[in-house]
Amino acid sequence: MKNLMTLAVAFMCFSTLNAQTNDVDFNTTSGLKMETDYGSDSSEINDLMSFQGIDFMTVNFSGKELKGKSYQITVKEIWNGKEVSDTTVFNSKTIGIKQFETLKDSMLSMRIIARHTDNNLRVKFKFPRFSITKDYDATASDEYSLRNLADESNLEIGYNEKFYFLAYILPYEREDGSKSWCEVGTSGDSIEKWGDKFGIEHYLLFEMKFE
């Protein structure tokens, strides 16, 4: 019964993410918009990615003020409710290629691919002309899920300040044994305290900044 309850909650949660497009304006006056495509248009490919434990999404940012701005992604690693590191995943200003330092258009598109293997989380950020792949320590659990926090929790996004972007999380286990990723991803507050609030042993918290 416990396994059936876990599967039911997982299905309800992930069925809303597969092959879905969310176009969100958010509660912001900055004019920055984000559109997220979850999974693939092919149900067979979605089934294969699910079987292999692969998370995939396409994220498009758009806004008049994007042109000419640099962009960066950072990640906080949180274990047992404690932040153990805060590192840079990517910074266009320091990539060493002049043409990639700032955006030439009012749109930025990226594909994000993530997978858990053994005690490792691998995340690839694939931009139109280059990609960045990073590996992080993880638990042995195969229940990690990559979530778009800004989308799920309708968080504020904008320019010149970091905003919460993605989280690679373990599920919250309720007293009845059922598990939920959505309950975590949509909580929207005290994000860096999820370890204490939900009893999550480990997760990654990605932030983004345009400046």
Side-chain angles (χ1 to χ4, degrees), residues 18-100:
N18 288 335
Q20 174 180 313
T21 300
N22 284 358
D23 188 358
V24 187
D25 289 344
F26 301 95
N27 298 318
T28 177
T29 59
S30 69
L32 182 63
K33 296 182 179 181
M34 183 180 72
E35 179 183 275
T36 307
D37 293 321
Y38 295 97
S40 168
D41 292 333
S42 166
S43 59
E44 290 83 1
I45 292 177
N46 282 326
D47 289 343
L48 179 60
M49 288 193 295
S50 177
F51 182 75
Q52 293 292 332
I54 298 171
D55 289 296
F56 175 75
M57 66 179 73
T58 302
V59 180
N60 296 307
F61 289 98
S62 61
K64 293 180 179 179
E65 294 183 40
L66 272 181
K67 187 174 181 179
K69 289 191 179 296
S70 64
Y71 50 107
Q72 62 175 288
I73 298 172
T74 57
V75 60
K76 293 178 179 178
E77 298 185 66
I78 300 175
W79 287 89
N80 299 308
K82 306 294 183 182
E83 180 186 317
V84 299
S85 69
D86 186 351
T87 58
T88 299
V89 177
F90 164 79
N91 188 334
S92 67
K93 292 189 293 186
T94 60
I95 194 173
I97 304 175
K98 188 69 175 178
Q99 61 180 317
F100 297 150

Side-chain angles (χ1 to χ4, degrees), residues 4-20:
L4 290 176
M5 293 175 70
T6 299
L7 288 172
V9 173
F11 175 77
M12 287 186 292
C13 186
F14 285 108
S15 63
T16 64
L17 297 182
N18 288 335
Q20 174 180 313

